[in-house]
Amino acid sequence: FFFFFFFSLSLEDHKMSETRGVTVKDVAAPQFIAAYAKYLKRSGKVKQPRWVDMVKTAAFKELSPYDPDWFFTRMASLARKVYLRGHLGLNKLKHQYGGKKSNGSRPEHHALASGSVLRAALHQLEKMKVTEVSPKGGRVLSSTGRRDLDRIAGHILNKTSSAKKTTKTAKK
């Protein structure tokens, strides 16, 4: 009896792990950000600000980004950060996207990222109903945003698992 009970539990656990939903946490960050940025660009829902081609992402940077689609990448990265952490305000995001300011021969210090770039990206995500303002402060992911991000993560995981299966069958 004990063996049957233990065996049935392990089968149920195995079935549960197969039917478990895929989340953003299951996918590597660079893959997810690239895929979500591509989705944002193709969807046509995002209206880039006029100043995207002229602006730097922070005061300590010397040049603007080389990638013409950098705004979509920043939006995807923001959406992932809000998904993972939640209740992120603009100042916290400015600090996280900041970096080292070069002071010549003097020691380097941390500098903040541009608030207007982050604010514009957050407003676009709110307009798309991906994020919403939390009553506790900061931004949180909406239910539709969580659904969309998890769906895209599932597509990425399915692509990588099917690619692994085809390479295994090709090796045999």
Side-chain angles (χ1 to χ4, degrees):
F1 177 72
F2 178 75
F3 175 76
F4 178 73
F5 178 73
F6 179 73
F7 185 72
S8 66
L9 278 179
S10 64
L11 279 178
E12 288 176 22
D13 292 341
H14 182 69
K15 288 178 185 175
M16 296 268 293
S17 65
E18 286 181 6
T19 60
R20 178 182 64 85
V22 177
T23 66
V24 173
K25 295 177 183 181
D26 299 329
V27 180
Q31 289 178 334
F32 176 78
I33 290 171
Y36 192 55
K38 191 175 178 182
Y39 166 77
L40 289 173
K41 184 176 180 182
R42 277 192 281 147
S43 72
K45 295 177 184 176
V46 177
K47 183 182 174 206
Q48 285 188 329
R50 292 189 314 254
W51 42 259
V52 165
D53 57 340
M54 298 177 283
V55 73
K56 299 188 300 182
T57 56
F60 64 90
K61 299 279 189 177
E62 292 186 7
L63 297 171
S64 60
Y66 289 125
D67 184 15
D69 299 330
W70 70 268
F71 191 72
F72 298 109
T73 306
R74 180 59 56 103
M75 283 182 64
S77 174
L78 271 171
R80 184 179 180 277
K81 274 192 186 294
V82 172
Y83 182 98
L84 295 176
R85 305 257 325 188
H87 301 290
L88 288 173
L90 190 61
N91 282 333
K92 180 64 90 173
L93 290 169
K94 283 168 56 174
H95 188 75
Q96 287 180 357
Y97 281 101
K100 290 191 290 187
K101 180 178 177 11
S102 175
N103 292 324
S105 61
R106 293 173 295 162
E108 297 171 332
H109 293 290
H110 184 77
L112 298 178
S114 171
S116 63
V117 171
L118 294 170
R119 194 176 308 107
L122 285 171
H123 285 308
Q124 288 292 325
L125 288 171
E126 282 180 37
K127 195 166 29 167
M128 291 174 53
K129 306 262 192 278
V130 174
T131 62
E132 54 193 21
V133 178
S134 171
K136 294 180 182 178
R139 305 292 202 297
V140 292
L141 215 62
S142 66
S143 60
T144 58
R146 184 171 301 276
R147 183 192 65 213
D148 290 345
L149 295 180
D150 287 343
R151 184 176 42 84
I152 289 170
H155 285 304
I156 295 168
L157 209 60
N158 286 340
K159 278 185 189 177
T160 56
S161 64
S162 65
K164 286 180 183 177
K165 287 179 185 176
T166 57
T167 55
K168 284 182 182 178
T169 56
K171 288 182 181 178
K172 289 180 183 181

